[in-house]
Amino acid sequence: MEMEQEKMTMNKELSPDAAAYCCSACHGDETWSYNHPIRGRAKSRSLSASPALGSTKEFRRTRSLHGPCPVTTFGPKACVLQNPQTIMHIQDPASQRLTWNKSPKSVLVIKKMRDASLLQPFKELCTHLMEENMIVYVEKKVLEDPAIASDESFGAVKKKFCTFREGNAAVVLRSRLKVRVVKELRGKKTAVHNGLGENGSQAAGLDMDVGKQAMQYQVLNEVVIDRGPSSYLSNVDVYLDGHLITTVQGDGVIVSTPTGSTAYAAAAGASMIHPNVPAIMITPICPHSLSFRPIVVPAGVELKIMLSPEARNTAWVSFDGRKRQEIRHGDSISITTSCYPLPSICVRDPVSDWFESLAQCLHWNVRKKQAHFEEEEEEEEEG
């Protein structure tokens, strides 16, 4: 009885316009109106500043990338009917899809060179796109691959390709790291072959008599060696071309490419490097030293990272945030520049795109401009 009385009280408080409200999740795109009928979808309103009852002032939505959209629904029936002036629907992330105003006509397909595992998927993808009457662009050196040039069954499709060279399009070749992890086999008699090699195949293990296994990875952003769940400082030795250059005592160390210099390394205090600069950056994570600054070494050198003999605990390594694994005494991580860069397409040119991304994503050097002096103030100061 009490619940029924409360419902009747709430219905009396609502105005006739509010009672006629229809939820957009249940009745399509019909929208509510409060003395001002609106056609189509309801206008967006800020989550932090909802209009009061009877207010006709519109509020602009905040520019948060992760903020919910107030004009869509969360699920098919997730509607909490409150006051019609403050009701909002949360967008379901699973319903977010890339939409096109019209079907695309041209497609650029980039294939990794000398990778046998991608040959068949590449052919199937290109054949499907051409069946959809699309213009397919590929790099000219892809068609010069012997595996494609000698395939007669693919000849009909190959004749329809449109090719381009790097000079015809703004392409940045982003360097990657070739990482080789060598581990001692503890309590195992046979080597386990894990990881991907340069050609996409599994990396081979080392000699059985040595009792070690090798894993190889291609890394675009960074290799992170940290102390993991241990409360002790990580203690790792860093070698450059066989010479011990330093011992890192802290939370860990980041070895990053120029592309990864704007990610974890930038958060750890490193400089940001343009992708066209051939370099490798070494950045300590919270070092227990006031003079340990990030350094940049030439691309092509070989870095080797191992646990120090004095280390109290093990270390953990991850590659672009994946394949996280433990590193013990006797294990080693060898890092150098990969000979397989990642091509990326520019919107305009490499320089403009990079600085615009810094300004938009990181708000690099964004501040309020200093006001200039008025002419009267300048004359007073001169006088």
Side-chain angles (χ1 to χ4, degrees), residues 15 17-18 32-36 45 50-59 83-86:
S15 62
D17 293 332
W32 58 270
S33 61
Y34 185 81
N35 297 332
H36 295 278
R45 297 178 183 271
S50 299
L53 183 63
S55 174
T56 59
K57 183 179 179 181
E58 293 293 339
F59 287 80
N83 192 321
Q85 277 69 29
T86 60

Side-chain angles (χ1 to χ4, degrees), residues 28-334:
D29 290 339
E30 297 178 10
T31 56
W32 58 270
S33 61
Y34 185 81
N35 297 332
H36 295 278
I38 303 176
R39 295 183 179 180
R41 284 184 173 270
K43 293 186 178 179
S44 302
R45 297 178 183 271
S46 173
L47 297 178
S48 59
S50 299
L53 183 63
S55 174
T56 59
K57 183 179 179 181
E58 293 293 339
F59 287 80
R60 298 181 61 185
R61 181 174 178 239
T62 56
R63 297 191 53 169
S64 172
L65 294 178
H66 305 287
C69 181
V71 297
T72 54
T73 60
F74 184 80
K77 297 182 180 180
C79 304
V80 182
L81 293 179
Q82 301 175 352
N83 192 321
Q85 277 69 29
T86 60
I87 185 170
M88 292 184 181
H89 303 287
I90 309 301
Q91 185 176 11
D92 184 2
S95 66
Q96 298 180 6
R97 294 183 179 180
L98 181 63
T99 58
W100 300 82
N101 295 328
K102 59 181 181 179
S103 300
K105 299 297 182 182
S106 303
V107 179
L108 171 63
V109 180
I110 298 179
K111 177 185 172 296
K112 183 179 178 181
M113 298 298 297
R114 287 177 281 183
D115 192 339
S117 64
L118 297 178
L119 187 60
Q120 188 61 29
F122 171 76
K123 294 180 180 179
E124 294 177 357
L125 174 62
C126 293
T127 303
H128 172 72
L129 293 176
M130 289 188 177
E131 290 176 354
E132 299 293 331
N133 297 323
M134 294 185 182
I135 302 174
V136 180
Y137 288 85
V138 295
E139 294 179 277
K140 190 175 182 60
K141 58 184 178 181
V142 172
L143 299 182
E144 297 172 357
D145 190 342
I148 297 179
S150 60
D151 191 351
E152 297 180 357
S153 61
F154 195 63
V157 178
K158 186 172 59 177
K159 294 179 181 179
K160 299 180 181 179
F161 279 133
C162 295
T163 60
F164 77 96
R165 293 184 181 272
E166 295 179 10
N168 298 333
V171 178
V172 174
L173 298 179
R174 297 179 179 269
S175 63
R176 295 193 291 181
L177 298 177
K178 182 178 72 173
V179 185
R180 183 179 178 85
V181 181
V182 180
K183 290 187 175 183
E184 291 185 354
L185 292 176
R186 298 171 178 86
K188 296 182 181 180
K189 297 182 180 180
T190 58
V192 180
H193 309 313
N194 295 329
L196 295 178
E198 293 178 347
N199 58 355
S201 61
Q202 290 185 341
L206 295 180
D207 192 354
M208 296 289 295
D209 299 333
V210 179
K212 294 185 178 182
Q213 68 173 13
M215 295 168 286
Q216 191 163 290
Y217 304 93
Q218 297 288 326
V219 179
L220 176 62
N221 292 314
E222 71 273 317
V223 179
V224 179
I225 299 97
D226 58 74
R227 58 189 176 94
S230 175
S231 59
Y232 296 109
L233 293 175
S234 66
N235 197 339
V236 295
D237 295 334
V238 180
Y239 296 84
L240 192 148
D241 288 339
H243 300 282
L244 177 64
I245 57 174
T246 189
T247 299
V248 180
Q249 295 186 95
D251 283 352
V253 62
I254 305 170
V255 181
S256 60
T257 62
T259 300
S261 66
T262 56
Y264 193 1
S271 299
M272 294 179 289
I273 306 176
H274 191 276
N276 284 344
V277 179
I280 299 176
M281 174 167 284
I282 304 174
T283 307
I285 306 174
C286 298
H288 200 254
S289 171
L290 297 177
S291 58
F292 198 169
R293 305 301 302 163
I295 59 174
V296 179
V297 297
V301 300
E302 183 175 0
L303 298 172
K304 189 174 182 179
I305 300 176
M306 302 178 63
L307 275 178
S308 299
E310 301 83 9
R312 296 183 178 182
N313 57 311
T314 61
W316 289 76
V317 61
S318 61
F319 314 96
D320 283 341
R322 302 177 180 179
K323 304 291 184 180
R324 186 171 174 83
Q325 52 194 276
E326 189 175 12
I327 300 298
R328 300 176 180 270
H329 287 280
D331 301 342
S332 64
I333 305 170
S334 299

